[in-house]
Amino acid sequence: MSPRTLLRAVMAASAVTLLAACNASAKDPAAQNAAGPELVLITPSPVGVNDFLKLAVQGIEDSAKKHNGTQKVYQSTDPASIQQNLAAAVREKPAVIVAVGFNFADAIAAEAERNPEQKFLFVDSCTTKPFPNVTCAVFREHEGSYLAGAEAGLLSKSGKVGAVVVLDAPQFRRYSIPFGQGAEKAKPGTTLAPLFIGGANPFNDPARAKALAATLAGQGVDHVMGAASAAGNLGVFEAAEQGGFFAFGVDANQCPASPGQVVDNVIKRTNVVVGDGVDAILGGKTGETKSYGLKEKGISLTGLEPDAATSQCVVASHPDVLAKVGELRDQIISGAIVVDDPAKS
């Protein structure tokens, strides 16, 4: 069995194990006698190998420890189970219910209106109508995508970059449009070709992601942003390995999944956002929306982190590129460069 096949087998086994725990309470036995608040996290899908959701779990666990409380995690599988898990959590009346993902928008709005005393933390999206008991935490992914695009532009030999994205929707265009803009900023004349997975299961379709990445390579694209979820990015990385081009990951450091092919990653620190949000709510601040980008350290690149040298990312061997991208990061943080949000255009 090849190392890559073994890696995928381990990931699959992990996904099955967590799937079996769907809708089950996951309370830390060591915290049974904790005097602090009860916290509940609800995910839109099984955690499995999803780095974004794994960080959310870490965030709720860290918050429970910090406040000497308890925590539970409910993993949903479809829209029906999202509503069921949210309703079950509300019946428990915990101090804070944390929901992660745009999929919860309608369900949280309904529950928040019916249960004005229940406090909610909505991560990675927000309800259309504001509620005093719903605190929202959103990311400016477009800032990180812009920097990743700058790396792609500086490293590209063909002058063509691309993106494989789960859906052609405003929220997810934050990974494609700014990627092209960053590339063009770093090397004028660089062009972007985005493709979108779509279909019935866009967040878990590595075969489709692989095919689209291969299509881009056939068009001369040599650097591809893989915003295809954890499962989908495995397809992008496999195509990159077979096609001899380079890819970018998301949410966490995905470079070890395909050393030598993944240039860098747009990191979303879900754990930090969950921790900050829980702290604010327990401290009496509710109903606010906070945006996390480069300045708030909710978004970053693996290559710009202190442990970049051991990350197995391709960009770690290009200090000149990292120096230029670091300058762009500082300009975004200072406001000298404003990266437009495709979700608001």
Side-chain angles (χ1 to χ4, degrees):
M1 181 179 290
S2 69
R4 184 172 191 79
T5 303
L6 178 60
L7 173 65
R8 297 190 64 156
V10 170
M11 287 181 167
S14 174
V16 170
T17 299
L18 282 166
L19 180 59
C22 250
N23 298 325
S25 299
K27 183 178 287 187
D28 182 359
Q32 292 297 316
N33 298 320
E38 179 183 0
L39 309 175
V40 175
L41 169 69
I42 308 173
T43 67
S45 57
V47 176
V49 298
N50 189 316
D51 292 316
F52 181 65
L53 297 181
K54 287 197 293 186
L55 285 172
V57 173
Q58 179 186 327
I60 203 75
E61 292 175 346
D62 290 346
S63 290
K65 292 178 181 177
K66 178 179 181 179
H67 295 282
N68 191 33
T70 60
Q71 57 83 23
K72 294 181 179 179
V73 177
Y74 288 97
Q75 301 179 56
S76 309
T77 57
D78 52 37
S81 65
I82 283 176
Q83 295 185 359
Q84 292 166 1
N85 285 340
L86 190 57
V90 168
R91 287 195 295 270
E92 294 186 27
K93 298 181 179 180
V96 183
I97 294 175
V98 182
V100 182
F102 69 97
N103 321 60
F104 284 92
D106 293 339
I108 283 186
E111 292 291 351
E113 191 162 17
R114 284 195 292 263
N115 303 277
E117 298 304 316
Q118 177 62 59
K119 303 298 189 296
F120 298 88
L121 173 60
F122 192 7
V123 177
D124 207 29
S125 190
C126 199
T127 53
T128 302
K129 174 185 174 182
F131 294 90
N133 56 331
V134 178
T135 299
C136 298
V138 296
F139 292 96
R140 299 195 300 277
E141 299 97 336
H142 46 291
E143 294 180 352
S145 298
Y146 184 92
L147 294 182
E151 290 180 343
L154 291 169
L155 293 170
S156 176
K157 295 182 179 179
S158 68
K160 298 179 180 181
V161 301
V164 173
V165 187
V166 287
L167 293 169
D168 187 5
Q171 179 176 353
F172 299 105
R173 285 198 287 271
R174 287 173 171 165
Y175 288 101
S176 54
I177 294 175
F179 187 74
Q181 292 172 337
E184 207 279 334
K185 171 71 173 181
K187 186 181 292 183
T190 303
T191 59
L192 170 74
L195 292 176
F196 301 89
I197 297 173
N201 195 14
F203 292 90
N204 190 26
D205 196 343
R208 172 74 170 157
K210 179 180 179 180
L212 293 177
T215 296
L216 291 175
Q219 298 172 357
V221 170
D222 60 359
H223 284 74
V224 176
M225 163 58 72
S229 81
N233 269 7
L234 287 176
V236 174
F237 299 161
E238 191 170 306
E241 184 176 4
Q242 295 176 359
F245 60 92
F246 296 95
F248 288 77
V250 292
D251 297 338
N253 180 17
Q254 297 185 317
C255 294
S258 190
Q261 300 300 144
V262 183
V263 177
D264 209 339
N265 312 273
V266 177
I267 299 174
K268 291 173 69 173
R269 292 198 174 95
T270 329
N271 56 324
V272 172
V273 168
V274 169
D276 284 355
V278 169
D279 286 350
I281 292 171
L282 295 181
K285 294 182 180 179
T286 62
E288 300 179 346
T289 297
K290 184 173 181 179
S291 177
Y292 290 81
L294 296 172
K295 184 176 182 178
E296 299 78 13
K297 298 183 179 179
I299 295 290
S300 185
L301 295 183
T302 301
L304 296 177
E305 294 297 290
D307 58 351
T310 59
S311 66
Q312 300 186 58
C313 294
V314 171
V315 75
S317 61
H318 295 274
D320 55 330
V321 171
L322 287 175
K324 293 177 182 177
V325 172
E327 292 174 1
L328 290 175
R329 174 198 56 192
D330 294 343
Q331 291 177 56
I332 293 173
I333 291 175
S334 71
I337 293 178
V338 177
V339 183
D340 293 332
D341 184 355
K344 295 181 180 179
S345 59

